[in-house]
Amino acid sequence: MARTWPRRSGFVFCALLCASRASVLLRAGARATVVPLASRRALVRLGAKKQKSHFEAYTIADRSAAGIFPAPARRDGVRPLKKHLPEGAPLSKAPEGWADRWLPGLQLSHKGMRLLHLCPPVMIIDDFLSHEECAELIALTESDRAFEVQSATFSTLTAAARTSTTWYTRHGAVPTFVGRAVELTGAHPDSLEEPQIVRYATGQRFSWHYDEVPRSLLANGGQRRATLLVYLNDVELGGGTAFRDLGVGVQPKCGRALLFCPSDVDGTPDDRTLHAGEPPLSGAKWIAQFWLHEREYVPGVVPGAQAGDASAAYELYCARRRASMEQPSDGASATAAGAGVAQNI
């Protein structure tokens, strides 16, 4: 059973933090909630001093003129100050409780995690996977444990704009990836969709799109709360992930993870996260990704996959971790062997 998270004061703080200078219209399906102007004043009373030292609230510009997607319904945002860019701000600089609105179980102490945008959150984690682990995921696409499918999308509007090749695999084939995802997000393993590995050849792309799930498909797992994408190789030219309305771009680097939230903790979609996979201009780009849902997701793409597969993969990951920690190092083994020889003399 997936965890349920208490609504802590941080949730209220982040709701206030993201308020614009005037009232803000929050999209919530067919409903809308008005955040009053008073919330902006409340920000001063709730730790704004630290926030203002490292982040700034701003109004998202309308960049929709040249595209088919409208400007986001929400136009408020919070981003790091320029002194933290392009690397991003350390999570230690973020206001207390900021993540509760999106990922209450997020491992805030994860090494190497940095914020490229605070509201909505866009984060990167370098060395999330090792080069060897990335190579293993790429090699998996040549085995009978990966299933190539047409790179499908939820919308016919974006289907023609995706020109990559996609493989799905069972959770049990990638226990390390499952384990790292669960540790990072604090999510229940069975809320993860099937692992997906994608190759973009030179010039291939995935144009502007949202990661949210259409209403007609919410019965299985609910809305996608987070996207976890890992770049499996370095790309010299192009190949980045761009967020149109946030002015954020992420360059592929082997082992680097990108984490962002297509919706909040209650499953309300956030159209400020419109993004695109830019074409690599030299060589191929490889990625692996998970989507994290509100509740248990039942696999249905890979033949033979079933409910509980992700939990089993996570248990395997934990068992391997315990075994590696219990296994003595070479130095310890040599010491022990030497002590044994000394006792026998």
Side-chain angles (χ1 to χ4, degrees):
M1 179 180 294
R3 307 181 202 176
T4 57
W5 301 98
R7 294 175 178 269
R8 298 193 288 268
S9 59
F11 181 93
V12 178
F13 173 75
C14 282
L16 300 176
L17 182 65
C18 293
S20 64
R21 296 182 179 179
S23 298
V24 178
L25 191 62
L26 302 181
R27 192 179 69 172
R31 302 185 305 275
T33 303
V34 175
V35 179
L37 181 63
S39 63
R40 179 170 60 90
R41 301 191 184 103
L43 182 60
V44 178
R45 303 192 298 271
L46 294 172
K49 182 176 180 180
K50 181 176 182 180
Q51 183 262 334
K52 289 171 65 176
S53 299
H54 302 281
F55 299 90
E56 62 179 358
Y58 72 103
T59 300
I60 294 173
D62 186 347
R63 299 182 174 92
S64 63
I68 58 176
F69 292 96
R74 291 190 59 179
R75 301 288 290 277
D76 59 304
V78 180
R79 60 192 176 194
L81 295 179
K82 290 183 178 180
K83 65 181 180 180
H84 291 302
L85 301 177
E87 293 84 4
L91 264 67
S92 61
K93 305 300 183 183
E96 183 179 356
W98 69 271
D100 292 352
R101 178 176 185 137
W102 295 278
L103 291 171
L106 182 67
Q107 186 184 0
L108 299 175
S109 61
H110 197 289
K111 183 179 179 181
M113 187 186 300
R114 303 185 73 87
L115 277 161
L116 300 181
H117 204 272
L118 182 63
C119 179
V122 178
M123 296 157 276
I124 57 170
I125 309 100
D126 283 343
D127 302 316
F128 183 75
L129 294 179
S130 69
H131 284 221
E132 292 76 14
E133 290 163 344
C134 291
E136 290 173 359
L137 287 172
I138 293 175
L140 189 63
T141 63
E142 300 180 358
S143 74
D144 58 3
R145 295 185 296 167
F147 299 85
E148 182 178 343
V149 298
Q150 183 178 1
S151 292
T153 65
F154 289 132
S155 171
T156 56
L157 198 63
T158 57
R162 187 173 192 180
T163 55
S164 55
T165 303
T166 299
W167 291 264
Y168 282 94
T169 186
R170 296 180 62 170
H171 296 89
V174 291
T176 298
F177 192 19
V178 171
R180 301 274 174 79
V182 171
E183 288 179 343
L184 173 65
T185 62
H188 191 285
D190 289 331
S191 67
L192 298 174
E193 282 189 35
E194 296 100 325
Q196 187 183 98
I197 304 171
V198 184
R199 181 193 65 208
Y200 293 86
T202 301
Q204 291 185 333
R205 73 202 189 285
F206 192 1
S207 193
W208 301 115
H209 63 283
Y210 306 104
D211 279 0
E212 65 186 68
V213 176
R215 286 176 176 268
S216 59
L217 300 177
L218 290 177
N220 187 9
Q223 191 55 262
R224 287 171 170 172
R225 286 176 44 209
T227 297
L228 176 62
L229 180 155
V230 181
Y231 302 101
L232 303 182
N233 68 313
D234 295 326
V235 179
E236 293 184 6
L237 295 173
T241 303
F243 293 82
R244 185 194 70 178
D245 298 310
L246 307 181
V248 171
V250 181
Q251 184 62 25
K253 179 181 178 183
C254 187
R256 169 178 287 172
L258 166 63
L259 177 65
F260 64 95
C261 299
S263 70
D264 65 18
V265 71
D266 291 327
T268 302
D270 194 330
D271 61 355
R272 297 173 297 176
T273 59
L274 181 72
H275 60 286
E278 298 174 331
L281 304 180
S282 176
K285 177 180 76 171
W286 288 86
I287 64 170
Q289 57 191 353
F290 273 125
W291 284 286
L292 161 67
H293 284 253
E294 293 178 86
R295 52 186 182 270
E296 181 180 354
Y297 173 89
V298 180
V301 178
V302 179
Q306 56 187 350
D309 280 356
S311 283
Y314 181 62
E315 291 173 3
L316 176 59
Y317 168 77
C318 292
R320 289 178 177 176
R321 285 284 302 273
R322 289 193 296 268
S324 65
M325 294 174 66
E326 294 170 358
Q327 184 176 1
S329 63
D330 292 341
S333 299
T335 301
V341 171
Q343 291 174 354
N344 292 330
I345 293 177

